[in-house]
Amino acid sequence: MKMVTIGTKENDAMLRTPCKEVTEINDDIKQLVADMHVAVKDYDGIGLAAPQVGYSLRVFIVYLKGEFVGEFINAEIIETSEETNSFREGCLSIPGVFEDVIRPERIRVQYQTLDGKRKVMSASGLLARVIQHETDHINGHVYTDRLSKEKEKQTLDRYARKQKSKRKLLRKKR
Ligand code: ZN
């Protein structure tokens, strides 16, 4: 699966549009999830949301330290702690840059599993962070939206510069 990265109009629109709810977990959804499992490993990610691979659907998967955590269909965060923490986040859709993001330390998330069961999960620490990052994706947000305006601009400028020098390197190789 090809990763959708910010920077082109088409990709930006995909990543900045709230995703559609999954009304039926059919074979197409199961195939998408199977492909996402391959992609997250290929790209060495800890989480991956459907809009990052070109599907505007409320689906994401989470791995933590190489261990599979779960498939989250129609996830919604129903509770967040007042206590927050800061952590250096990155994103497969904004490769090569990282920035400190403040988020609630603990959450409760309601979702469906791939076999359609409704579940609620309590999470803290890194797991809570990944679930919040991926839930942002299906709501049409990327982590840089959570930075101050100034920090957001700095981060995206840094990303644009990196993309540019990468393109230059590729041209030189030819
Ligand atoms: Zn991301």
Side-chain angles (χ1 to χ4, degrees):
M1 298 187 107
K2 203 175 169 296
M3 199 61 57
V4 172
T5 54
I6 63 164
T8 70
K9 256 193 178 152
E10 198 187 333
N11 286 356
D12 284 2
M14 172 67 72
L15 289 168
R16 298 197 178 273
T17 307
C19 296
K20 283 193 281 294
E21 192 164 329
V22 175
T23 50
E24 188 201 343
I25 303 169
N26 55 23
D27 288 348
D28 289 347
I29 298 291
K30 287 179 182 161
Q31 186 58 54
L32 167 64
V33 170
D35 292 345
M36 285 169 67
H37 278 292
V38 176
V40 81
K41 285 171 196 153
D42 280 355
Y43 285 88
D44 205 16
I46 58 175
L48 183 66
Q52 294 184 274
V53 288
Y55 293 84
S56 191
L57 290 165
R58 298 186 69 83
V59 174
F60 64 78
I61 60 174
V62 173
Y63 280 77
L64 217 55
K65 295 177 183 138
E67 295 278 323
F68 171 62
V69 175
E71 289 133 348
F72 296 76
I73 316 284
N74 297 327
E76 209 177 313
I77 289 171
I78 52 173
E79 249 178 76
T80 54
S81 64
E82 291 208 355
E83 191 189 342
T84 57
N85 63 30
S86 180
F87 186 84
R88 210 159 184 77
E89 282 188 35
C91 180
L92 295 176
S93 293
I94 319 172
V97 292
F98 301 87
E99 199 45 70
D100 293 329
V101 185
I102 296 167
R103 295 187 188 268
E105 158 72 20
R106 291 178 305 280
I107 56 146
R108 275 163 74 79
V109 58
Q110 166 187 296
Y111 64 103
Q112 278 171 273
T113 58
L114 204 54
D115 49 15
K117 287 200 189 84
R118 283 177 198 281
K119 280 198 174 177
V120 174
M121 183 190 279
S122 299
S124 61
L126 185 58
L127 179 57
R129 176 148 308 254
V130 183
I131 291 171
Q132 291 177 82
H133 179 113
E134 301 309 327
T135 304
D136 274 358
H137 274 305
I138 61 171
N139 288 332
H141 294 292
V142 290
Y143 78 84
T144 50
D145 298 354
R146 298 202 171 261
L147 304 173
S148 68
K149 276 285 153 222
E150 197 192 336
K151 261 264 155 358
E152 179 187 16
K153 193 181 176 310
Q154 282 171 10
T155 308
L156 293 178
D157 284 351
R158 213 160 66 232
Y159 167 69
R161 277 202 303 277
K162 283 209 162 187
Q163 293 303 100
K164 227 175 166 176
S165 59
K166 208 165 90 189
R167 278 199 296 273
K168 247 187 215 159
L169 264 171
L170 284 173
R171 267 205 303 276
K172 267 187 198 154
K173 267 190 190 161
R174 275 194 201 128

